[in-house]
Amino acid sequence: MVFNRQKQRLLLEGKEYTPDDIRRCMVRGVENYPSAIWDLFLFLQEWFNDSPLLAVHTSGSTGMPKKLMVRKEQMMQSARLTCEYLNLQAGDTALLCMNLRYIGAMMVVVRSLVAGLNLIVRPASGHPLSDIHEPLKFAAMVPLQVYNTLQVPEEKERLKQTDILIIGGGAVDARLEADIQSLPGAVYSTYGMTETLSHIALRRLNGPAASEHYHPFSSVHLSLSPENTLVIEAPLVCADILQTNDIARIHPDGSFSILGRKDNVINSGGIKIQAEEIEKKLRLLIPIPFVITSVPDKRLGQAVVLLLAGQPDIQEMEKGIQAILEPYYRPKHILVADCIPQTGNGKVNRADCRILAQRLLQLLNDSSC
């Protein structure tokens, strides 16, 4: 693997580019390249400059997006960990199909530079395999891209020709995980965040090695805070000990499970409700996009809200909810919106969901006056 940035070469769809080649491409101007290729060149321009640091942006799924300055050396170490774990070799084809504003896409490029992967580039879209013709060794996608791909027979066949798929940027729900079982290649869910420079653990979703637990890289040490949130020590990729907001359970073999986020705990009448656990129970019942959120409540402190996108049969849904959830955990309000708010990289925007639920409830209250 190559860790000297000035000696790195990008193998882009079979053609090799040096740092000088990238600079010459930039001089030619944006009008001479597809937008996805130009975005790649912009990233490489920053990657090959003299600074040891690079600016990355958090997704803003639980708060305001923010800019972080991270070390390029640590990004290369993260790339090495993934390539070694997945046994990616020089010349293997790797698909870049996500927005280069975010760390997940950046790390696809860095893995290609460090390990000599042959990078195939497509614009960030819901159907990244729509015009892919060669088999892929490695691809990284968000859950929505995988879901959309599985709905189109031709694209599903192309996904079946992908040896290794990692899914990040959001939770893989039970329905999608069930659909993934038909894929012959190895499919993993990732655990990580911008601060850990992409993932520090993987969970196999299909095949004989499938697991309900995430398995961290060997250089990563995990522990729990007094609030049972995950604490990460990953010295190769993050200088500081990282205190997460993810409520977790660490198992005797060192693997772990994520139960939900501390900021998604709803305290309703003294009962602490984990939004993600309720969503998991409801996913097989509700066929349309939804999220569990909350609104302020004078009596309960917080009231559980089921926020839906679409036009469901509310009465039938309420019957199903009563059969699945105990009374304290049932939504006090069911609200319908045009869509579920998302961040720029496709994650549910929990903060905006809470705001939207409050607005919709206020409109209902005003109309009933």
Side-chain angles (χ1 to χ4, degrees):
M1 295 193 185
V2 182
F3 293 92
N4 183 330
R5 286 184 289 119
Q6 293 309 313
K7 292 185 178 180
Q8 288 172 348
R9 303 291 183 264
L10 180 71
L11 190 59
L12 177 59
E13 301 184 358
K15 182 180 178 180
E16 188 176 270
Y17 289 78
T18 67
D20 285 340
D21 291 331
I22 298 300
R23 284 188 279 271
R24 283 191 285 269
C25 291
M26 295 296 295
V27 170
R28 290 189 63 195
V30 61
E31 64 276 4
N32 290 292
Y33 301 98
S35 60
I37 297 295
W38 183 253
D39 288 343
L40 173 62
F41 289 162
L42 288 172
F43 170 76
L44 291 169
Q45 183 182 47
E46 293 297 314
W47 179 258
F48 287 128
N49 68 21
D50 292 335
S51 174
L53 303 176
L54 188 73
V56 299
H57 296 83
T58 63
S59 65
S61 56
T62 59
M64 290 295 293
K66 58 183 178 181
K67 183 171 76 170
L68 302 175
M69 299 303 296
V70 301
R71 300 195 67 82
K72 295 173 183 176
E73 173 63 30
Q74 291 176 327
M75 293 176 73
M76 290 188 285
Q77 289 297 333
S78 173
R80 178 184 64 81
L81 291 172
T82 298
C83 291
E84 289 180 349
Y85 190 96
L86 299 176
N87 194 30
L88 297 177
Q89 303 291 323
D92 286 344
T93 51
L95 177 65
L96 172 64
C97 60
M98 299 183 296
N99 191 327
L100 270 167
R101 176 181 174 85
Y102 300 108
I103 190 67
M106 291 181 182
M107 288 309 305
V108 173
V109 181
V110 178
R111 292 177 200 124
S112 300
L113 292 166
V114 168
L117 308 181
N118 181 23
L119 194 63
I120 309 298
V121 180
R122 291 295 184 272
S125 75
H127 292 272
L129 300 185
S130 61
D131 65 345
I132 293 287
H133 301 295
E134 62 267 57
L136 299 168
K137 177 68 176 182
F138 172 75
M141 300 183 190
V142 299
L144 182 59
Q145 289 177 315
V146 180
Y147 174 82
N148 288 341
T149 296
L150 291 171
Q151 307 314 302
V152 182
E154 295 84 358
E155 295 176 20
K156 182 176 180 179
E157 284 303 310
R158 291 167 188 153
L159 191 57
K160 285 184 175 181
Q161 297 177 45
T162 300
D163 291 340
I164 301 170
L165 170 66
I166 63 173
I167 307 174
V172 177
D173 65 33
R175 189 178 291 108
L176 180 56
E177 189 167 343
D179 291 342
I180 284 167
Q181 302 309 308
S182 65
L183 298 177
V187 184
Y188 297 88
S189 173
T190 67
Y191 177 82
M193 55 213 68
T194 305
E195 291 84 348
T196 60
L197 307 180
S198 189
H199 51 266
I200 50 90
L202 295 165
R203 178 170 78 90
R204 181 70 182 265
L205 297 178
N206 66 340
S211 172
E212 295 183 353
H213 305 163
Y214 287 96
H215 294 267
F217 295 136
S218 59
S219 58
V220 175
H221 178 264
L222 303 175
S223 59
L224 296 178
S225 74
E227 296 176 298
N228 287 322
T229 55
L230 195 66
V231 180
I232 301 173
E233 294 181 62
L236 292 179
V237 299
C238 184
D240 301 322
I241 296 175
L242 186 61
Q243 305 276 345
T244 77
N245 283 326
D246 292 320
I247 297 173
R249 180 180 296 121
I250 299 177
H251 304 287
D253 65 352
S255 64
F256 65 97
S257 305
I258 298 297
L259 306 181
R261 288 187 66 86
K262 183 177 72 173
D263 15 14
N264 295 336
V265 173
I266 301 168
N267 192 332
S268 186
I271 303 295
K272 291 186 178 180
I273 300 168
Q274 189 70 54
E276 293 93 338
E277 290 186 348
I278 303 302
E279 290 168 355
K280 185 175 181 180
K281 291 180 178 180
L282 294 179
R283 279 193 180 107
L284 294 178
L285 171 69
I286 303 176
I288 59 176
F290 74 94
V291 68
I292 290 292
T293 185
S294 65
V295 293
D297 185 278
K298 291 181 180 179
R299 183 173 64 88
L300 298 171
Q302 291 177 296
V304 178
V305 173
L306 172 59
L307 183 63
L308 301 159
Q311 295 297 326
D313 186 329
I314 299 293
Q315 290 185 337
E316 284 299 314
M317 189 173 295
E318 287 178 329
K319 291 178 183 178
I321 290 172
Q322 288 177 8
I324 293 173
L325 300 177
E326 297 177 10
Y328 284 115
Y329 297 90
R330 293 172 192 163
K332 300 299 183 290
H333 308 284
I334 298 178
L335 303 174
V336 178
D338 292 331
C339 62
I340 301 299
Q342 295 183 333
T343 64
N345 66 343
K347 292 184 182 181
V348 172
N349 191 318
R350 297 276 179 178
D352 282 359
C353 285
R354 287 190 289 270
I355 294 170
L356 177 58
Q358 292 179 46
R359 289 174 179 170
L360 291 172
L361 186 61
Q362 185 61 53
L363 287 172
L364 285 175
N365 291 336
D366 291 344
S367 64
S368 63
C369 293

